[in-house]
Amino acid sequence: MIRAVLLDILGVIYDADTPIAGAVAAVERLRRAGLPLRFVSNTTRTPREAMIEQLAALGIEVTDAELLTPARAAVEWLRRHECRPHLLVHPDLEAEFSGLEGGNGCAVVVGDAGDAFDYAGLNRAFRELVAGADFVALATNRTFKDADGLFSLDAGAFVAALEFASRRPPVVLGKPSPDFFLSALADVNCPAADAVMVGDDAESDVAGALRAGLGAALLVRTGKYRPGDETRFDPPPTAIVHDLAAAADWILNRAAA
């Protein structure tokens, strides 16, 4: 039986600033059923406060504890390892790392930097890695669906370039890291086997969740989904559903009474 639900945001609840049809009502139905919800996003361009405000504008109230982002995980990792960050992230995200300048070591932190992904920035990060800095990737997604409706390069390609050049594998803190999924369940008193993930990325959301031990992972045909995604990665989705509304139907039919 399902006792907790993890939801991706971009591509599942909204695209750009537009809610996906039926998504807001689906979230409300899951809440009314008493299921703990956690919103787990790999978005690394938007600060968490802005994400919470955007969801609220759509009619979905999300508490700070209910939203998990790679940036929050990175801040905790940097504090735990007493590292100051060398940031290669989107300028809008830099404020989330304030107050961490005094660490004993250094860690290169890479997210989706957008236009900040230029040669000079990548080379500075590379030189820090060669000099011995730790290597932290907020996420390794290949692509994302941009505001114009087309696919754009995500952080994964740039993380791979730095890994290739430096011969240093990164610590990945967002999806598909098993720790990221499990940390979402840490305060809901739910074993991974009783939780379900809903996402539009068959690799990071779905296969990642199943490898982390979640009992089910649903792939929606919205957002970045493309026909055939369900067969491209292993393990495959537990089910493929049209959208979050259909996912809610699937979940509620299997939820604990």
Side-chain angles (χ1 to χ4, degrees):
M1 290 186 290
I2 293 172
R3 299 183 181 181
V5 182
L6 308 187
L7 298 175
D8 189 21
I9 298 176
L10 183 62
V12 174
I13 296 175
Y14 59 71
D15 270 329
D17 294 325
T18 304
I20 293 171
V24 175
V27 173
E28 180 59 27
R29 288 168 58 207
L30 294 170
R31 284 206 189 277
R32 285 202 307 267
L35 289 166
L37 303 183
R38 291 295 179 267
F39 299 82
V40 290
S41 174
N42 259 16
T43 300
T44 59
R45 285 193 181 187
T46 306
R48 58 187 296 110
E49 285 187 11
M51 294 178 67
I52 290 173
E53 290 172 1
Q54 186 170 8
L55 288 166
L58 299 179
I60 299 174
E61 297 295 331
V62 176
T63 67
D64 185 71
E66 288 178 320
L67 175 62
L68 282 84
T69 65
R72 171 64 64 86
V75 169
E76 294 174 357
W77 189 96
L78 290 164
R79 286 176 175 153
R80 190 164 61 250
H81 290 84
E82 298 183 345
C83 285
R84 64 186 180 279
H86 176 95
L87 297 175
L88 185 56
V89 300
H90 195 277
D92 290 346
L93 206 66
E94 291 180 357
E96 297 210 13
F97 294 89
S98 62
L100 296 170
E101 296 80 7
N104 296 322
C106 178
V108 171
V109 179
V110 183
D112 178 12
D115 291 339
F117 276 135
D118 56 17
Y119 177 80
L122 284 162
N123 200 44
R124 284 193 295 270
F126 164 73
R127 289 179 173 180
E128 291 286 348
L129 293 173
V130 170
D134 288 308
F135 188 8
V136 172
L138 298 185
T140 55
N141 295 66
R142 301 171 192 269
T143 62
F144 68 98
K145 192 174 180 182
D146 218 328
D148 60 4
L150 300 177
F151 285 92
S152 291
L153 281 173
D154 211 328
F158 302 95
V159 172
L162 289 169
E163 180 177 2
F164 174 81
S166 67
R167 303 174 188 264
R168 300 275 305 283
V171 175
V172 180
L173 296 180
K175 297 175 289 186
S177 166
D179 288 343
F180 189 73
F181 292 102
L182 297 178
S183 67
L185 298 171
D187 64 346
V188 297
N189 193 29
C190 175
D194 292 338
V196 59
M197 172 71 201
V198 182
D200 66 329
D201 188 321
E203 183 176 20
S204 293
D205 294 336
V206 173
L210 294 172
R211 285 196 296 268
L214 270 70
L218 308 183
L219 179 64
V220 294
R221 294 191 182 98
T222 55
K224 69 191 296 183
Y225 169 83
R226 290 179 292 177
D229 279 355
E230 56 268 28
T231 63
R232 291 190 175 104
F233 306 102
D234 188 58
T238 307
I240 303 100
V241 294
H242 182 67
D243 53 19
L244 183 53
D249 291 337
W250 191 98
I251 291 165
L252 292 172
N253 285 335
R254 294 161 177 82

